[in-house]
Amino acid sequence: MKNFDSLKAVVLGAEEDALKFFAKGNGAAGRRLRIAMQQVKLLGQQIRVEVSEKKKKK
C-alpha cells in the first residue's frame, strides 16, 4: 500500500506541472512532468509485482 500512496502523491504533485506545460507551453514544467511520469511507470510496475506476489501467497 506504501507504493500506491507514493503513486498518488506523484500524480497529484505533477498536476501543476501538467497545467503549466499544456496550457502555457512551459518547457521546464514539461521536463518535470516527464520525470514524474517515469516515476509513475516505475511505481506502477512495483505495485503490479506486489499484487502478483500477494495473489500467489493465497
Side-chain angles (χ1 to χ4, degrees):
M1 194 67 183
K2 177 184 167 190
N3 282 333
F4 187 76
D5 291 335
S6 296
L7 177 65
K8 289 192 306 186
V10 170
V11 171
L12 290 174
E15 183 176 11
E16 184 178 343
D17 286 327
L19 292 172
K20 286 180 182 178
F21 176 71
F22 289 111
K24 299 177 183 176
N26 184 318
R31 285 187 289 281
R32 290 189 300 269
L33 181 58
R34 290 185 65 223
I35 291 168
M37 292 301 100
Q38 182 64 31
Q39 290 175 327
V40 166
K41 178 182 172 185
L42 294 174
L43 286 168
Q45 182 61 37
Q46 290 174 353
I47 292 168
R48 291 185 70 219
V49 169
E50 287 176 12
V51 169
S52 293
E53 288 175 353
K54 188 166 179 102
K55 284 177 64 177
K56 286 181 183 179
K57 287 183 181 179
K58 288 189 174 188

